[in-house]
Amino acid sequence: MNYQPLENYGFIGDLHTVALAGVDGSIDYMCFPHFDSPTVFGALLDAEKGGRFKIAPTAEGSRRKQMYLPDTNVLLTRFLSVDGVAEITDFMPVEEMRHTHILIRRVTAVRGPVDLHLECSPRFDYARTGHRAEARGDEIWFFPDGDGAVPLRLLTTTPVDIVDGDAVADFTLESGETVDFILETVDSDGQSPAQAADFAQRAFQHSVDHWRRWNSQMSYRGRWQEMINRSALALKLLTSSKFGSIAAAGTFGMPEEIGGERNWDYRFTWIRDASFTAASLMKLGFTEEARRFIGWVEDRYDEATAPGELQIMYGINGRHDLTEEILDHLSGYRGSAPVRIGNGAYDQTQLDIYGELLYAVDLYDELVEPISQALWKDLRASTEWVCEHWRDTDEGIWEVRGGQREFLYSRLTDWVALDRAIRIAQRRSLPAPLTRWIEVRDDIHNEIYSGFWSEKKNAFVQYKAAETLDASALMMPLVGFIAPRDPRWLSTLAAIEEELVDDALVYRYHPDAAASDGLEGAEGTFGICSFWFVECLARSGQVDKARLFFEKLHGYANHLGLYAEELDPAGRFLGNYPQAFTHLALVNSALFLNEALDREQH
């Protein structure tokens, strides 16, 4: 069976989980009920075994279109033909309309009649667990095998047959007719507000109002408003309303190279990714997400085995153990195996995480509200840890599995940790060993200039004594370490452009030249690095070039304005999707570029 290109999918969610819906009307990925729960639909990772929920016209040749209702995360998939037009409205109810975990698919014939086919074929526990199906009036119940397993049910007024445990139907809609399909987890008593005839319509209106109300809080008014709106809405969908944590991406197992082994699980909360996400949302005027995330971090500090020490990532609910496992019964997207769940990097040493966290907390303390004494005590302990360990080796931002090194990015973010901790302490007159911190900050500064500068390359290099470049160096001016027009930085920027940039797309490094990451095969260009490069160009005074590259990158978005982690040379999506890293970097680069263009005009 063929696989759709990853960029052919839109995504929806309820701030607990997400689902991917293709332009062909098939939901091929959904973990239920949480981001890091097992899949119930996983055809994206195995078209034969994974399971799907597909609704589409039976006639061949329809033109397919997809869009979001403006300023919402309500997805509209359209099928256009000479004989008829059908629409599927996909969404998940949020807030008080979400009594349980629910997926709603509303099918309408705009111009009919339209003949359609339905196939709802859940596969529980990553397609490892069987199930049985049972008809109960207007409901089809799916009971997964095993004691205590939570069933799903499909509610609809359309007659549905059960075929080999799946719900199947062929039906016809006349012009103006709408039919609803509601899939939900079942509470213990089996009762549900979704059984009311008008529930889908009320939930739809509530969801539209909710997303537009949230989006209206955005403070940004400038160029690329629609792009910024979509990125903000995507980032919001990756936040957990229950826990306050933020997922790095919506999926797991999506390959960084078709047929390759770089297939990771990104459904967890990295301190790095989530801190950067919270910071970007704050810059747009959204503060509640940062408040909730900081509260979630405080809970992790309370659980820490030593004062001020955090793991690099946790489960959405804060769980510590993310042991990696291979799902060897799944063939992987387009044959890209192994399919992994869990993430073996969870117990790595990555020295950068406190820098990114303190970067976000400094913004929060300055722009939103002063931080608590309890949080400062934890952050002070983290800063002390950095003072003791900044000279250590680690696996770095890219989580290499080929051995630890002294990475430039780790030193840079250790400098950020000290710098932002000093700022917070001085702004608030909080107790801190400032003399020691300033000395360590300056030592790191001097170490970067002396140990990571290559006269041969005329650039800052990936790790100590290397002659290779790494796009993570692009963060140096973005965090204020170096002036964006400093001669050493301009030569580094030029070297990165020469070696790592391809038509505005930026590779994070070249695996054949950089520090071994312990893996075979290649990868695509990295979205976050590409937008970092744009911002660096703008900050260096190359505003026109930055704008051109930014517009080129916009051309690499999919039809909905969404991005995955990576792009291949032909602009096809690679890696997990949608990716917070890419969207938050888009926001940051757009904000600075907009300001730079305003300054030029005035």
Side-chain angles (χ1 to χ4, degrees), residues 251-273:
T251 61
F252 68 94
M254 298 307 296
E256 296 177 12
E257 178 188 32
I258 300 302
E261 65 170 325
R262 301 166 185 265
N263 317 316
W264 313 115
D265 190 343
Y266 277 12
R267 299 171 298 162
F268 308 122
T269 298
W270 274 254
I271 299 297
R272 173 195 312 115
D273 302 44

mmCIF file of all heavy atoms in Angstrom, residues 251-273:
data_model
loop_
_atom_site.group_PDB
_atom_site.id
_atom_site.type_symbol
_atom_site.label_atom_id
_atom_site.label_comp_id
_atom_site.label_asym_id
_atom_site.label_seq_id
_atom_site.Cartn_x
_atom_site.Cartn_y
_atom_site.Cartn_z
ATOM 1 N N THR A 251 4.752 13.437 16.610
ATOM 2 C CA THR A 251 4.846 12.046 16.185
ATOM 3 C C THR A 251 6.102 11.373 16.725
ATOM 4 O O THR A 251 6.970 11.992 17.323
ATOM 5 C CB THR A 251 4.873 11.947 14.646
ATOM 6 O OG1 THR A 251 6.025 12.651 14.159
ATOM 7 C CG2 THR A 251 3.620 12.528 14.036
ATOM 8 N N PHE A 252 6.190 10.083 16.447
ATOM 9 C CA PHE A 252 7.399 9.307 16.697
ATOM 10 C C PHE A 252 7.693 8.485 15.449
ATOM 11 O O PHE A 252 6.814 8.239 14.616
ATOM 12 C CB PHE A 252 7.217 8.378 17.899
ATOM 13 C CG PHE A 252 6.234 7.248 17.666
ATOM 14 C CD1 PHE A 252 6.659 5.998 17.246
ATOM 15 C CD2 PHE A 252 4.870 7.437 17.865
ATOM 16 C CE1 PHE A 252 5.755 4.968 17.023
ATOM 17 C CE2 PHE A 252 3.957 6.418 17.651
ATOM 18 C CZ PHE A 252 4.399 5.172 17.224
ATOM 19 N N GLY A 253 8.945 8.080 15.303
ATOM 20 C CA GLY A 253 9.300 7.103 14.281
ATOM 21 C C GLY A 253 9.405 7.610 12.867
ATOM 22 O O GLY A 253 9.691 6.829 11.955
ATOM 23 N N MET A 254 9.191 8.902 12.636
ATOM 24 C CA MET A 254 9.286 9.416 11.274
ATOM 25 C C MET A 254 10.756 9.614 10.900
ATOM 26 O O MET A 254 11.517 10.224 11.650
ATOM 27 C CB MET A 254 8.509 10.721 11.136
ATOM 28 C CG MET A 254 7.022 10.567 11.397
ATOM 29 S SD MET A 254 6.263 9.251 10.394
ATOM 30 C CE MET A 254 6.502 9.914 8.745
ATOM 31 N N PRO A 255 11.177 9.102 9.746
ATOM 32 C CA PRO A 255 12.604 9.012 9.440
ATOM 33 C C PRO A 255 13.226 10.340 9.021
ATOM 34 O O PRO A 255 12.597 11.150 8.348
ATOM 35 C CB PRO A 255 12.641 8.016 8.278
ATOM 36 C CG PRO A 255 11.322 8.208 7.588
ATOM 37 C CD PRO A 255 10.333 8.487 8.700
ATOM 38 N N GLU A 256 14.495 10.511 9.406
ATOM 39 C CA GLU A 256 15.281 11.636 8.930
ATOM 40 C C GLU A 256 15.896 11.346 7.563
ATOM 41 O O GLU A 256 16.444 12.233 6.917
ATOM 42 C CB GLU A 256 16.371 11.978 9.946
ATOM 43 C CG GLU A 256 15.789 12.445 11.281
ATOM 44 C CD GLU A 256 16.851 12.722 12.321
ATOM 45 O OE1 GLU A 256 18.051 12.781 11.973
ATOM 46 O OE2 GLU A 256 16.482 12.888 13.504
ATOM 47 N N GLU A 257 15.797 10.096 7.145
ATOM 48 C CA GLU A 257 16.190 9.664 5.803
ATOM 49 C C GLU A 257 15.319 8.476 5.447
ATOM 50 O O GLU A 257 15.196 7.536 6.233
ATOM 51 C CB GLU A 257 17.668 9.267 5.773
ATOM 52 C CG GLU A 257 18.143 8.762 4.421
ATOM 53 C CD GLU A 257 19.553 8.200 4.464
ATOM 54 O OE1 GLU A 257 19.953 7.640 5.509
ATOM 55 O OE2 GLU A 257 20.255 8.314 3.446
ATOM 56 N N ILE A 258 14.675 8.502 4.267
ATOM 57 C CA ILE A 258 13.812 7.400 3.874
ATOM 58 C C ILE A 258 14.650 6.122 3.794
ATOM 59 O O ILE A 258 15.666 6.070 3.099
ATOM 60 C CB ILE A 258 13.116 7.685 2.533
ATOM 61 C CG1 ILE A 258 12.263 8.950 2.630
ATOM 62 C CG2 ILE A 258 12.254 6.494 2.120
ATOM 63 C CD1 ILE A 258 11.207 8.918 3.696
ATOM 64 N N GLY A 259 14.210 5.118 4.542
ATOM 65 C CA GLY A 259 14.937 3.861 4.590
ATOM 66 C C GLY A 259 16.052 3.841 5.615
ATOM 67 O O GLY A 259 16.710 2.812 5.793
ATOM 68 N N GLY A 260 16.264 4.966 6.327
ATOM 69 C CA GLY A 260 17.363 5.057 7.278
ATOM 70 C C GLY A 260 16.953 4.657 8.683
ATOM 71 O O GLY A 260 15.799 4.319 8.954
ATOM 72 N N GLU A 261 17.925 4.728 9.601
ATOM 73 C CA GLU A 261 17.702 4.278 10.969
ATOM 74 C C GLU A 261 17.486 5.413 11.956
ATOM 75 O O GLU A 261 17.264 5.183 13.146
ATOM 76 C CB GLU A 261 18.888 3.437 11.441
ATOM 77 C CG GLU A 261 20.201 4.206 11.561
ATOM 78 C CD GLU A 261 21.292 3.394 12.255
ATOM 79 O OE1 GLU A 261 20.950 2.628 13.181
ATOM 80 O OE2 GLU A 261 22.457 3.539 11.876
ATOM 81 N N ARG A 262 17.543 6.671 11.498
ATOM 82 C CA ARG A 262 17.389 7.820 12.397
ATOM 83 C C ARG A 262 15.901 8.106 12.585
ATOM 84 O O ARG A 262 15.358 9.069 12.035
ATOM 85 C CB ARG A 262 18.107 9.039 11.819
ATOM 86 C CG ARG A 262 19.598 8.829 11.582
ATOM 87 C CD ARG A 262 20.167 9.946 10.705
ATOM 88 N NE ARG A 262 21.547 9.700 10.367
ATOM 89 C CZ ARG A 262 22.593 10.193 11.021
ATOM 90 N NH1 ARG A 262 22.395 10.981 12.069
ATOM 91 N NH2 ARG A 262 23.826 9.914 10.649
ATOM 92 N N ASN A 263 15.256 7.275 13.362
ATOM 93 C CA ASN A 263 13.798 7.329 13.524
ATOM 94 C C ASN A 263 13.483 7.393 15.015
ATOM 95 O O ASN A 263 13.442 6.363 15.690
ATOM 96 C CB ASN A 263 13.149 6.083 12.909
ATOM 97 C CG ASN A 263 13.754 5.720 11.559
ATOM 98 O OD1 ASN A 263 13.982 6.597 10.726
ATOM 99 N ND2 ASN A 263 14.037 4.447 11.350
ATOM 100 N N TRP A 264 13.249 8.604 15.508
ATOM 101 C CA TRP A 264 13.193 8.823 16.949
ATOM 102 C C TRP A 264 11.781 9.145 17.433
ATOM 103 O O TRP A 264 10.904 9.512 16.642
ATOM 104 C CB TRP A 264 14.137 9.960 17.352
ATOM 105 C CG TRP A 264 15.501 9.849 16.746
ATOM 106 C CD1 TRP A 264 16.076 10.693 15.849
ATOM 107 C CD2 TRP A 264 16.474 8.815 16.984
ATOM 108 N NE1 TRP A 264 17.342 10.266 15.518
ATOM 109 C CE2 TRP A 264 17.614 9.116 16.202
ATOM 110 C CE3 TRP A 264 16.491 7.677 17.792
ATOM 111 C CZ2 TRP A 264 18.760 8.315 16.199
ATOM 112 C CZ3 TRP A 264 17.627 6.875 17.792
ATOM 113 C CH2 TRP A 264 18.733 7.203 17.005
ATOM 114 N N ASP A 265 11.599 9.039 18.721
ATOM 115 C CA ASP A 265 10.329 9.365 19.373
ATOM 116 C C ASP A 265 10.451 10.767 19.973
ATOM 117 O O ASP A 265 11.242 10.985 20.892
ATOM 118 C CB ASP A 265 10.038 8.333 20.466
ATOM 119 C CG ASP A 265 8.628 8.437 21.028
ATOM 120 O OD1 ASP A 265 7.980 9.488 20.814
ATOM 121 O OD2 ASP A 265 8.188 7.476 21.698
ATOM 122 N N TYR A 266 9.663 11.705 19.462
ATOM 123 C CA TYR A 266 9.739 13.100 19.896
ATOM 124 C C TYR A 266 8.511 13.542 20.679
ATOM 125 O O TYR A 266 8.268 14.737 20.823
ATOM 126 C CB TYR A 266 9.898 14.015 18.679
ATOM 127 C CG TYR A 266 11.322 14.150 18.180
ATOM 128 C CD1 TYR A 266 12.339 13.322 18.605
ATOM 129 C CD2 TYR A 266 11.643 15.134 17.247
ATOM 130 C CE1 TYR A 266 13.626 13.445 18.128
ATOM 131 C CE2 TYR A 266 12.936 15.266 16.761
ATOM 132 C CZ TYR A 266 13.917 14.418 17.207
ATOM 133 O OH TYR A 266 15.195 14.550 16.734
ATOM 134 N N ARG A 267 7.739 12.612 21.213
ATOM 135 C CA ARG A 267 6.492 12.968 21.883
ATOM 136 C C ARG A 267 6.696 13.341 23.348
ATOM 137 O O ARG A 267 5.737 13.344 24.110
ATOM 138 C CB ARG A 267 5.509 11.794 21.805
ATOM 139 C CG ARG A 267 5.117 11.383 20.398
ATOM 140 C CD ARG A 267 4.339 10.091 20.415
ATOM 141 N NE ARG A 267 5.155 8.998 20.958
ATOM 142 C CZ ARG A 267 4.655 7.860 21.416
ATOM 143 N NH1 ARG A 267 3.346 7.654 21.431
ATOM 144 N NH2 ARG A 267 5.457 6.908 21.876
ATOM 145 N N PHE A 268 7.903 13.703 23.711
ATOM 146 C CA PHE A 268 8.224 13.985 25.100
ATOM 147 C C PHE A 268 8.572 15.458 25.282
ATOM 148 O O PHE A 268 8.597 16.226 24.319
ATOM 149 C CB PHE A 268 9.377 13.083 25.556
ATOM 150 C CG PHE A 268 9.136 11.629 25.277
ATOM 151 C CD1 PHE A 268 10.020 10.896 24.495
ATOM 152 C CD2 PHE A 268 8.008 10.996 25.765
ATOM 153 C CE1 PHE A 268 9.790 9.558 24.218
ATOM 154 C CE2 PHE A 268 7.766 9.653 25.506
ATOM 155 C CZ PHE A 268 8.664 8.937 24.718
ATOM 156 N N THR A 269 8.843 15.831 26.530
ATOM 157 C CA THR A 269 9.160 17.217 26.843
ATOM 158 C C THR A 269 10.653 17.341 27.124
ATOM 159 O O THR A 269 11.133 16.907 28.180
ATOM 160 C CB THR A 269 8.349 17.707 28.054
ATOM 161 O OG1 THR A 269 6.961 17.642 27.728
ATOM 162 C CG2 THR A 269 8.716 19.146 28.395
ATOM 163 N N TRP A 270 11.375 17.888 26.162
ATOM 164 C CA TRP A 270 12.761 18.260 26.356
ATOM 165 C C TRP A 270 12.802 19.611 27.072
ATOM 166 O O TRP A 270 12.073 20.540 26.700
ATOM 167 C CB TRP A 270 13.471 18.407 25.019
ATOM 168 C CG TRP A 270 14.057 17.176 24.417
ATOM 169 C CD1 TRP A 270 15.374 16.844 24.350
ATOM 170 C CD2 TRP A 270 13.357 16.125 23.737
ATOM 171 N NE1 TRP A 270 15.545 15.650 23.691
ATOM 172 C CE2 TRP A 270 14.314 15.183 23.306
ATOM 173 C CE3 TRP A 270 12.007 15.878 23.475
ATOM 174 C CZ2 TRP A 270 13.975 14.021 22.623
ATOM 175 C CZ3 TRP A 270 11.666 14.727 22.791
ATOM 176 C CH2 TRP A 270 12.641 13.816 22.382
ATOM 177 N N ILE A 271 13.652 19.751 28.078
ATOM 178 C CA ILE A 271 13.818 21.051 28.727
ATOM 179 C C ILE A 271 14.210 22.093 27.692
ATOM 180 O O ILE A 271 13.694 23.222 27.695
ATOM 181 C CB ILE A 271 14.883 20.974 29.838
ATOM 182 C CG1 ILE A 271 14.460 19.970 30.925
ATOM 183 C CG2 ILE A 271 15.143 22.351 30.437
ATOM 184 C CD1 ILE A 271 13.208 20.333 31.670
ATOM 185 N N ARG A 272 15.084 21.731 26.770
ATOM 186 C CA ARG A 272 15.556 22.652 25.731
ATOM 187 C C ARG A 272 14.417 23.109 24.822
ATOM 188 O O ARG A 272 14.154 24.302 24.679
ATOM 189 C CB ARG A 272 16.633 21.956 24.897
ATOM 190 C CG ARG A 272 17.097 22.718 23.676
ATOM 191 C CD ARG A 272 17.885 21.836 22.720
ATOM 192 N NE ARG A 272 18.903 21.077 23.413
ATOM 193 C CZ ARG A 272 18.913 19.745 23.510
ATOM 194 N NH1 ARG A 272 17.932 19.022 22.989
ATOM 195 N NH2 ARG A 272 19.890 19.132 24.149
ATOM 196 N N ASP A 273 13.754 22.167 24.180
ATOM 197 C CA ASP A 273 12.723 22.502 23.199
ATOM 198 C C ASP A 273 11.564 23.259 23.840
ATOM 199 O O ASP A 273 11.062 24.243 23.291
ATOM 200 C CB ASP A 273 12.192 21.227 22.540
ATOM 201 C CG ASP A 273 13.271 20.408 21.854
ATOM 202 O OD1 ASP A 273 14.350 20.227 22.450
ATOM 203 O OD2 ASP A 273 13.037 19.932 20.735
#
